[in-house]
Amino acid sequence: MYNYGMKLCNQHDLVKDSIHDLFINLWKYRSKPSRIRAIKPYQYKALRNIILKAQAQNSPSVAVEAAYHFSFDTSVETKFILRETQDGQRDKLQNALNLLTQKQREVIFLKFFDQLSYEAVAHVLGISTKATYKLVARAIAFLREKMILITALFSLLG
């Protein structure tokens, strides 16, 4: 959760406080009946909402969507996933990921790095499961196209 929170706002103290607030709220309202089907997606969505609300309160003149910047740093994840690949491949992937929209980077992170189900990702982002499938598919197709293009450019230059 901390890793996801840092991707949303990159403010260590805000993320820690938000996670703390999340668990305080879970404890405070534990006796109330709820319709939570799966706790992990619920926690991610709640954390996301707490962070976005805090950012909006800290900068009321900035719209919530304008303050929302999901960053995708693949340094740790890429080293694990692409351990046996060349540095060039890692750079190509990072360049391609940087070309994705913020929403696409977030959905790729949640689906493949945090290994949430499509339904859980949909719940976290507040979109339909069908929209999640489309968003993931488009992001993967875009990455595939960019990786092929980048590889072709590097082979022409090198």
Side-chain angles (χ1 to χ4, degrees):
M1 287 182 57
Y2 175 78
N3 194 21
Y4 177 64
M6 288 299 291
K7 301 290 183 199
L8 288 171
C9 74
N10 200 24
Q11 296 176 17
H12 174 73
D13 291 334
L14 176 62
V15 173
K16 283 178 57 178
D17 290 344
S18 298
I19 292 171
H20 181 261
D21 292 346
L22 169 65
F23 284 103
I24 292 289
N25 287 338
L26 286 173
W27 182 255
K28 187 176 5 176
Y29 300 112
R30 71 187 181 282
S31 62
K32 290 189 177 188
S34 94
R35 295 185 222 174
I36 300 171
R37 293 184 204 151
I39 190 70
K40 191 172 182 178
Y42 173 81
Q43 289 174 332
Y44 275 81
K45 183 172 185 167
L47 178 63
R48 182 176 194 261
N49 290 338
I50 291 169
I51 289 173
L52 292 178
K53 184 177 178 183
Q55 285 180 323
Q57 288 175 347
N58 291 339
S59 303
S61 62
V62 179
V64 172
E65 285 300 316
Y68 167 67
H69 295 287
F70 187 84
S71 66
F72 199 110
D73 178 18
T74 60
S75 59
V76 174
E77 295 86 358
T78 302
K79 286 178 186 175
F80 177 74
I81 294 171
L82 303 174
R83 187 179 321 171
E84 298 176 7
T85 62
Q86 300 174 352
D87 288 338
Q89 278 293 88
R90 190 177 305 122
D91 292 341
K92 291 176 203 175
L93 178 59
Q94 183 64 55
N95 290 335
L97 287 168
N98 288 338
L99 296 173
L100 292 173
T101 66
Q102 291 178 13
K103 202 71 144 179
Q104 287 173 327
R105 283 193 299 267
E106 186 173 9
V107 77
I108 291 293
F109 177 83
L110 291 171
K111 178 66 184 130
F112 297 107
F113 291 94
D114 274 357
Q115 299 177 344
L116 295 180
S117 68
Y118 283 98
E119 293 78 14
V121 173
H123 181 75
V124 170
L125 298 179
I127 58 178
S128 70
T129 304
K130 185 176 180 180
T132 304
Y133 278 107
K134 283 183 180 180
L135 194 57
V136 169
R138 287 181 182 156
I140 290 172
F142 182 84
L143 286 173
R144 183 177 293 128
E145 176 186 321
K146 292 302 174 192
M147 289 297 290
I148 290 169
L149 179 63
I150 291 170
T151 302
L153 285 173
F154 276 114
S155 67
L156 288 175
L157 296 173

